Structures are given as structure tokens and as C-alpha cells.
Amino acid sequence: MTVLRHAFAALLLSTAALQAEVPDLVLAIGGEPDTGFDPLLGWGAYGNPLFQSTLLKRDANLATAPDLATTWSLSEDRKVWTITLRGDARFADGSPVTAADVAFTFNTAKGAAGAVDLAVMVRAEAISSDTVQIGLDRPWITFAEAFYTLGIVPAAAYGPDYGRNPLGSGPFRMVSWAEGEQLIVAPNPYYYGAPSPFGQITFLFTGEDAGLAAAQAGVAHMVSVPAQLADAVPAHFHAVPVQTVDNRGLSLPFQPPHEVDGRNIGNAVTADPAIRRAINMGIDRDLLVEVALNGHGTPAFGPADGLPWAGRVIRLPMIYRAR
């Protein structure tokens, strides 16, 4: 098998609409979440949850930085986290963020059928208005990843429709959401962090081809396009390389032919490990990148190539930025 790492996201940025003091911004850079904007069901697990704050965050160099938390410590037996919260955090409706909201978020997320793995957590408890303790059933240092990814929700306002009407203490608040069409957000006036350089931000859920057409028409300022369209740069836009973790691969059947539930599966040729090894060694990855991705990618030998634990260096793929 081979995996191709490529420039899946090509970002386009127009200068025309970025000259006001607090300009609005229109983006077409990806799809909308199937389960809405509920962090307890997985929203924000791979990046900033937009509407919600997290306990910790990572800076541009991936170093740990405080968000809602001001101090955090682990007990000597490594089973109890104690976290102190900042005192100026407020949800977008003006209500304060308390340790009770943090405890509610973690306890509710543990019982939710979402993507958040809190299996080792016993319980989160607010021991004061600004301090929460989270107990684990055994030492599990990677539990701390939830501090970076789990957005905090208000205990008083959380319910079944929360994902469609999110309320958080993050940098933005929802203005409107037309599912399948667009999402409009504006800065949270109570946000404790640096103010947004933009006013209203509109996310268009157009798909890649339509997104590029929106940029060409001057409707969108930043657009994600597939590698095959990365050279179709509209006027007033230009390409900039960025690194992604997206990849493409060839999947081969490993099992010999047989029947399962009335269906024939497997393949007599690719079931042979020697043949799979020969394909892996003989395939021209550089040619695949040039032909399938118009050269906007990097040959790879596995899905972890270029990541910190892979020990490989990859080229930067292509994006677009304003002149």
C-alpha cells in the first residue's frame, strides 16, 4: 500500500473586502458538523471549538497555555486533577463560568454517546466556585488531552438542542445557522481573550467546486479547494504552502476469496503478502503525486508520515493567500 500526503486545502484570501477597520469575512473552507456544535458529542475535538472555551490550549508552537484554567496540578498518586479557573470568564449571555459548569461538562460528557473518551474518569466535582477536582480510577496521563479539546458548556443552559444553539465562553457567538448552507458568527462581547480582528464571519458550506466559484465571483475571501484545482488561482489571490495531515491511500484486500453472508469478499492475488510487498516497493509515488494531485503533495509510506512520532520530514503542500 502507499499513502499520498497532499495539498487538500488550498486557501484563498482576497484583499478587496479586508480593508475596513473591522472587516467581515466569508470563508468556504470545509463542511459542517453532523451532530452540531456540541463539544460533548465531539465538536472541537480536533481544534478550537469556536464557541466554547477549553481548560487549556496550545500556542502556535504546540506548547501548553492556559485558557479557562489558571493553575492545574496532579496529585502524588496521579489520580486527582485540581484545576483553578480564571475569574473573568463569561458565557456569551453574560453569565459567569464557574467550576460547577466545568464539573457538569465533564460528568455529562462521560455519559454521552459522543467521541470524548473519559472512561478513566470517576467524577468531576466543584469544590469551590473557581476550583474543580477530577478523579480518575487509575493513573492515566493522556486524560489531560480532554483539557485541550473538551469545550465547557453552561450547566443551566445545556439541553438536547444545544448543538443547534451553542452557548459558550469562547471567542465567538452564533448569529444564525442555515444547515447545509451557511453559518454566521460574531465576536463574543464577553470574551476574556484577544478580540477578533474580524466582525461577522460567514462560513459557506458550498463544497469545493462551488467554493472556488464563490472566490472567483468575489463572494468568498478564503476557500478550500482540492489539489486538482490548486493551480486555478483567481485574480487577487495567490497560493501559500501549508502543512496538512490529510492523506490518500490504496487499500488492498488482505483475505483470500470467501463468502460472508452471501457476499463474495477477498482477492486471491492481493491476499498474497509477497504481492502486496512488491506493489508497495514498485509503485511510483512521485508519479502518483504529479498525476493525481497535480504535484501538490508529498509521497508517503504510511498515514503518520510527517507527524512527530513518524520521524519523517515532508514538503509543505500548497495554499493561497492575498497579495
Side-chain angles (χ1 to χ4, degrees):
M1 289 199 307
T2 180
V3 176
L4 304 177
R5 188 171 301 279
H6 72 285
F8 180 79
L11 300 184
L12 308 170
L13 184 60
S14 168
T15 60
L18 299 182
Q19 297 175 357
E21 287 187 12
V22 183
D24 292 340
L25 185 65
V26 180
L27 309 173
I29 57 174
E32 59 192 328
D34 294 334
T35 57
F37 302 95
D38 187 344
L40 277 60
L41 299 180
W43 162 248
Y46 297 104
N48 191 297
L50 190 66
F51 302 112
Q52 298 88 12
S53 302
T54 51
L55 294 176
L56 301 176
K57 60 184 179 181
R58 292 184 173 93
D59 63 19
N61 297 316
L62 300 182
T64 294
D67 194 0
L68 280 179
T70 58
T71 64
W72 52 97
S73 61
L74 186 59
S75 62
E76 189 173 344
D77 64 1
R78 296 181 297 161
K79 295 198 295 184
V80 179
W81 283 97
T82 301
I83 301 159
T84 304
L85 308 179
R86 61 189 304 146
D88 58 347
R90 293 184 175 274
F91 294 109
D93 64 354
S95 59
V97 180
T98 68
D101 296 305
V102 175
F104 171 84
T105 298
F106 274 79
N107 290 329
T108 307
K110 179 178 173 63
V116 184
D117 183 8
L118 302 178
V120 300
M121 189 184 85
V122 177
R123 183 167 178 79
E125 181 180 0
I127 60 175
S128 72
S129 62
D130 65 352
T131 305
V132 62
Q133 285 190 336
I134 302 176
L136 311 181
D137 63 14
R138 59 190 181 277
W140 201 266
I141 194 59
T142 56
F143 176 84
E145 182 64 21
F147 300 163
Y148 301 88
T149 59
L150 181 56
I152 302 304
V153 303
Y158 184 82
D161 296 328
Y162 178 87
R164 263 63 193 175
N165 298 282
L167 176 64
S169 55
F172 295 97
R173 60 179 179 84
M174 178 182 286
V175 174
S176 66
W177 180 24
E179 295 186 43
E181 298 178 12
Q182 67 178 20
L183 167 72
I184 300 177
V185 306
N188 173 6
Y190 299 100
Y191 183 54
Y192 49 83
S196 169
F198 300 105
Q200 181 172 282
I201 301 178
T202 300
F203 297 86
L204 302 178
F205 305 126
T206 57
E208 294 165 339
D209 292 344
L212 182 57
Q216 292 168 334
V219 175
H221 309 132
M222 186 175 290
V223 182
S224 171
V225 299
Q228 292 83 352
L229 299 177
D231 294 326
V233 185
H236 308 299
F237 293 78
H238 74 277
V240 175
V242 295
Q243 185 170 315
T244 74
V245 294
D246 191 30
N247 58 68
R248 292 293 181 266
L250 304 178
S251 180
L252 304 175
F254 283 12
Q255 297 180 331
H258 63 287
E259 185 176 301
V260 176
D261 297 329
R263 296 181 298 119
N264 293 321
I265 66 172
N267 183 279
V269 176
T270 58
D272 186 340
I275 292 178
R276 294 200 303 273
R277 292 192 190 99
I279 294 174
N280 189 42
M281 295 174 63
I283 196 167
D284 190 335
R285 290 169 169 79
D286 290 297
L287 181 61
L288 283 177
V289 169
E290 291 300 320
V291 174
L293 303 175
N294 287 349
H296 298 296
T298 302
F301 292 81
D305 274 23
L307 298 177
W309 51 88
R312 297 177 61 89
V313 177
I314 64 170
R315 297 193 305 268
L316 295 178
M318 185 66 66
I319 67 166
Y320 296 144
R321 190 180 299 275
R323 289 187 172 87

